[in-house]
């Protein structure tokens, strides 16, 4: 697995309490939405999810992992804890708390476009290939440097703004990501 960002995924560690409650959650049919039986478990799971979100926001400089919208201080109505491989799919359920399968995205990219799709995965049943950049048609939030495939230029002065996305020459992942997330809909020029 190639880690494209800092801090490294390998440097993230769950606390003992978080690890215990995650282990319990992973034994259920819906690990991400698991409700622990007590307050201490609830606190540990909430802590784990918040730390996951914050860690991934730090890795992407406070921006959405897919469109690079600024998420700094955005709050829970804008930021999603993103599962690259959808947690609702039983094939990927065991990856619900696996850091390389998690990221932070805006709700637009996650809920409007990506949803529970995995059509961007080349080989879905090979667990080793799931950890490789080459097995994804889109820019993987942890395996690929977004900047190597796309550029986002955004300027706002008062109520006037310009936003544009350009693909790096020859980047199939950049083109796929731009199309998949309908980034052309973000492109505006009101100057």
């Amino acid at each position: 697995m190639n880690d494209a960002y800092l801090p490294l995924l390998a440097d993230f560690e769950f606390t003992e309490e978080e690890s215990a409650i995650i282990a319990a959650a992973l034994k259920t049919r819906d690990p991400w939405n698991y409700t622990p039986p007590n307050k201490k478990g609830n606190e540990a799971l909430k802590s784990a999810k918040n730390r996951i979100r914050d860690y991934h926001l730090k890795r992407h400089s406070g921006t959405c992992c897919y469109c690079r919208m600024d998420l700094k201080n955005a709050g829970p109505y804008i930021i999603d804890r993103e599962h690259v491989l959808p947690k609702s799919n039983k094939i990927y359920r065991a990856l619900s708390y696996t850091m390389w399968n998690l990221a932070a995205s805006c709700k637009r990219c996650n809920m409007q476009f990506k949803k529970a799709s995995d059509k961007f995965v080349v080989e879905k049943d090979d667990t080793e290939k799931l950890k490789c950049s080459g097995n994804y048609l889109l820019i993987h939030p942890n395996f690929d440097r977004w900047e190597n495939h796309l550029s986002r230029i955004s300027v706002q002065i008062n109520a006037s703004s310009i936003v544009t996305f350009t693909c790096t020459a020859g980047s199939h992942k950049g083109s796929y990501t731009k199309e998949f997330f309908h980034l052309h809909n973000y492109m505006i020029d009101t100057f």
Side-chain angles (χ1 to χ4, degrees):
M1 178 183 79
N2 182 32
D3 193 347
Y5 294 94
L6 294 174
L8 295 172
L9 293 174
D11 293 342
F12 183 88
E13 292 182 13
F14 291 110
T15 66
E16 240 179 84
E17 294 83 13
E18 292 168 347
S19 294
I21 205 67
I22 288 169
L26 289 171
K27 292 177 183 173
T28 69
R29 288 183 45 184
D30 190 1
W32 190 256
N33 295 313
Y34 172 67
T35 303
N38 56 49
K39 184 179 177 181
K40 186 177 178 183
N42 276 318
E43 289 171 359
L45 196 57
K46 183 178 179 182
S47 169
K49 289 180 178 183
N50 287 339
R51 289 188 337 101
I52 288 166
R53 178 200 59 220
D54 294 346
Y55 201 79
H56 281 288
L57 281 171
K58 187 173 182 180
R59 286 171 53 84
H60 288 275
S61 301
T63 64
C64 172
C65 65
Y66 296 123
C67 72
R68 287 301 192 242
M69 180 175 89
D70 187 0
L71 298 175
K72 294 173 196 78
N73 302 313
Y77 297 107
I78 306 269
I79 302 170
D80 261 358
R81 293 170 189 95
E82 160 64 346
H83 290 81
V84 181
L85 299 168
K87 64 187 181 302
S88 59
N89 186 319
K90 64 181 178 180
I91 298 171
Y92 312 123
R93 195 171 291 149
L95 302 173
S96 291
Y97 294 91
T98 302
M99 288 299 284
W100 63 259
N101 188 45
L102 293 162
S105 73
C106 69
K107 293 231 184 250
R108 176 197 174 274
C109 286
N110 190 28
M111 296 179 80
Q112 185 176 354
F113 294 104
K114 185 171 160 295
K115 302 177 185 174
S117 176
D118 68 349
K119 67 180 183 180
F120 51 83
V121 181
V122 179
E123 292 194 39
K124 297 170 175 54
D125 298 326
D126 187 329
T127 54
E128 285 308 306
K129 287 192 178 177
L130 291 176
K131 299 176 192 175
C132 299
S133 165
N135 198 39
Y136 297 87
L137 300 174
L138 56 66
I139 302 168
H140 191 286
N142 294 306
F143 303 153
D144 300 308
R145 294 265 334 150
W146 196 90
E147 296 78 9
N148 291 346
H149 302 278
L150 282 170
S151 292
R152 176 188 170 126
I153 300 165
S154 176
V155 177
Q156 181 172 342
I157 300 173
N158 299 322
S160 297
S161 58
I162 184 169
V163 178
T164 186
F165 291 87
T166 55
C167 289
T168 303
S171 174
H172 298 293
K173 284 187 174 221
S175 297
Y176 187 91
T177 301
K178 188 176 178 183
E179 181 67 26
F180 187 87
F181 291 102
H182 298 251
L183 297 181
H184 57 278
N185 291 343
Y186 254 145
M187 296 172 66
I188 56 170
D189 185 354
T190 61
F191 279 98

